[in-house]
Amino acid sequence: MMKHILFIVSLGLGLADCVESQGVEPRPPAVEQALAIELTPIVTDGLRDPLYVTHAGDGSGRLFVVEQPGRIRIVENGRLREAPFLDISSRVRSGGERGLLGLAFHPDYRRNGRFIINYNRDTDGATVLAEYRVSDNPNLARQDETLLMVVPQPYANHNGGMVAFGPDGFLYIARGDGGAGGDPGNRAQNRQELLGKILRIDVDRGAPYAIPADNPFATGGGRPEIFAYGLRNPWRFSFDRKTGELWAADVGQDDWEEIDVVRQGANYGWRIMEGNHCFSPSAGCLMSGLAPPVAEYRNQRPRCSITGGYVYRGTRIPGLVGTYVYGDYCSGEVLGLSSTVQSAQGVLNRPQVLLSTGLKISSFGEDQDGELYVVGHAGTVHRIVKAEGYGQ
Ligand SMILES: [Ca+2]
């Protein structure tokens, strides 16, 4: 298991870079210090290709870690339990961008024991959305599943994978554009396709689900499950606990990674646009009616792929409250977008580096208190904490 050397870069290095190349004024030291974070290890051994961490909302304090090959593991009292909560690895086709990709506990999990997972099935790689339940043992799920939705995948990549319940109690589902490169089937713009979208369904009504009455195409014009479209591969999204806003990070094609605040019925532009830039056609594209990202950055090395995170609403890092914390899979940087910066500068195209970790950041996650975690694909989970002694 590789050892990760974690060090604080905070805004020091990031700003130095900005000042050199852009002539940007450095921030006041107080702001830097308020945003200074570091990582504390939660699990550094025993995980295989983790992709996500979350909580069950049941007051147990447990963390649930999704392993790409098809297992869900429990961290309880700081210890990784050996026996998985769920192991469906025999049903999962894993590797590359496929595998067990998403997990969402029902908002009423404490009473009904229901949770939703999203994976690529072993037979044909199609994306399966399914419901599972806990057994009489709170640390062990039942193996039987209720299928909610199966979506064929034309290519191996861009499977999306995030699932989460919104503040409205509906289930939101991230669907990539089906893969290859450049969305060859133009699926993200096709409202008759479920790929390249964020979907929204009601898993408490209907069989196997119902369509929320105010979904944009509930009565026609597209597939009724669609909540928003024109997305390439919204690998991770989240809801701001305070505002209810849906923040999605859409992985870019050749040049631009982007962050979208996703609104009902909006078209986020792919493949017409990549970030704020024409993609197809490469110039003179018609941008009217397309929702621009709230931020973008170039995916030049060492950056390669945005990993969406969370607007921080925890209590342990007061200076970070309200900042959208996200990262890049290749550079290992934890990045931040603060709402004040966003409103002051409009579209921000230089990410604010909060921390360089050396991790392959596959995901972020929240515990029940809203504290944030970073998942390293090589097998780690760390908690984001306030940098102690910073500036002393
Ligand atoms: Ca876009």
Side-chain angles (χ1 to χ4, degrees):
M1 186 64 59
M2 67 184 275
K3 297 281 180 213
H4 301 291
I5 299 168
L6 305 171
F7 54 94
I8 301 172
V9 172
S10 183
L11 303 183
L13 212 62
L15 267 182
D17 183 44
C18 279
V19 170
E20 246 176 43
S21 57
Q22 297 270 306
V24 173
E25 288 290 314
R27 258 163 230 300
V31 176
E32 292 184 39
Q33 187 159 357
L35 285 172
I37 57 171
E38 60 189 17
L39 300 186
T40 189
I42 302 297
V43 184
T44 56
D45 200 12
L47 288 173
R48 184 165 168 211
D49 301 338
L51 290 181
Y52 187 54
V53 61
T54 189
H55 64 93
D58 61 355
S60 70
R62 294 175 299 173
L63 294 175
F64 292 77
V65 183
V66 173
E67 292 183 315
Q68 185 173 3
R71 282 178 296 272
I72 300 171
R73 309 286 298 278
I74 291 176
V75 180
E76 188 170 27
N77 299 323
R79 191 179 64 85
L80 178 68
R81 293 183 67 91
E82 190 58 38
F85 177 64
L86 179 72
D87 184 351
I88 55 156
S89 46
S90 63
R91 301 174 191 172
V92 173
R93 184 178 294 190
S94 180
E97 299 180 19
R98 296 195 280 209
L100 175 57
L101 305 180
L103 163 66
F105 288 92
H106 190 281
D108 206 16
Y109 176 78
R110 185 201 287 262
R111 266 176 286 193
N112 63 28
R114 299 167 61 193
F115 64 95
I116 307 292
I117 61 172
N118 187 50
Y119 66 91
N120 297 96
R121 67 182 178 193
D122 66 326
T123 50
D124 58 0
T127 292
V128 172
L129 184 76
E131 177 174 317
Y132 282 70
R133 285 172 189 262
V134 72
S135 72
D136 292 336
N137 175 352
N139 289 324
L140 184 64
R142 292 166 49 150
Q143 288 279 326
D144 52 312
E145 70 175 11
T146 303
L147 280 180
L148 295 174
M149 195 188 294
V150 177
V151 178
Q153 292 287 350
Y155 301 97
N157 57 341
H158 301 182
N159 295 298
M162 184 76 191
V163 287
F165 285 89
D168 50 16
F170 298 135
L171 182 71
Y172 290 71
I173 306 148
R175 291 273 175 259
D177 66 8
D183 193 8
N186 200 21
R187 294 181 171 89
Q189 287 297 318
N190 184 346
R191 304 193 308 214
Q192 302 303 328
E193 290 254 12
L194 294 179
L195 296 171
K197 311 292 186 302
I198 287 180
L199 312 177
R200 183 175 72 165
I201 61 174
D202 181 350
V203 297
D204 291 326
R205 289 165 196 82
Y209 59 82
I211 301 296
D214 60 344
N215 268 16
F217 310 120
T219 58
R223 296 289 290 266
E225 292 90 349
I226 295 172
F227 180 76
Y229 64 109
L231 295 150
R232 181 178 175 276
N233 192 23
W235 163 244
R236 289 290 177 248
F237 67 77
S238 65
F239 294 93
D240 183 332
R241 289 181 176 214
K242 183 178 176 187
T243 66
E245 283 178 327
L246 198 178
W247 289 69
D250 199 11
V251 177
Q253 178 69 45
D254 298 327
D255 296 315
W256 297 98
E257 305 296 309
E258 72 177 66
I259 300 168
D260 298 306
V261 173
V262 175
R263 306 192 192 284
Q264 190 165 332
N267 178 354
Y268 289 86
W270 177 249
R271 70 178 182 185
I272 303 166
M273 295 176 70
E274 182 187 16
N276 287 289
H277 316 268
C278 288
F279 180 82
S280 177
S282 60
C285 65
L286 199 60
M287 299 184 181
S288 68
L290 305 181
V294 294
E296 64 178 8
Y297 70 85
R298 287 193 79 100
N299 57 15
Q300 287 169 327
R301 289 182 187 194
R303 296 174 182 145
C304 75
S305 181
I306 192 169
T307 299
Y310 294 78
V311 176
Y312 178 72
R313 296 295 179 189
T315 57
R316 295 185 181 185
I317 319 173
L320 198 62
V321 172
T323 294
Y324 179 67
V325 178
Y326 63 106
D328 187 276
Y329 181 81
C330 293
S331 74
E333 295 161 309
V334 176
L335 305 165
L337 177 64
S338 67
S339 50
T340 49
V341 169
Q342 183 193 327
S343 57
Q345 300 185 0
V347 172
L348 191 78
N349 62 11
R350 289 191 73 86
Q352 191 172 27
V353 179
L354 302 182
L355 185 69
S356 285
T357 70
L359 301 168
K360 289 193 287 182
I361 300 176
S362 58
S363 190
F364 292 82
E366 273 185 323
D367 62 21
Q368 196 165 352
D369 295 331
E371 300 303 326
L372 298 187
Y373 296 79
V374 181
V375 182
H377 203 185
T380 56
V381 176
H382 289 83
R383 184 190 289 132
I384 296 179
V385 298
K386 193 171 187 294
E388 296 300 334
Y390 181 83
Q392 290 176 0

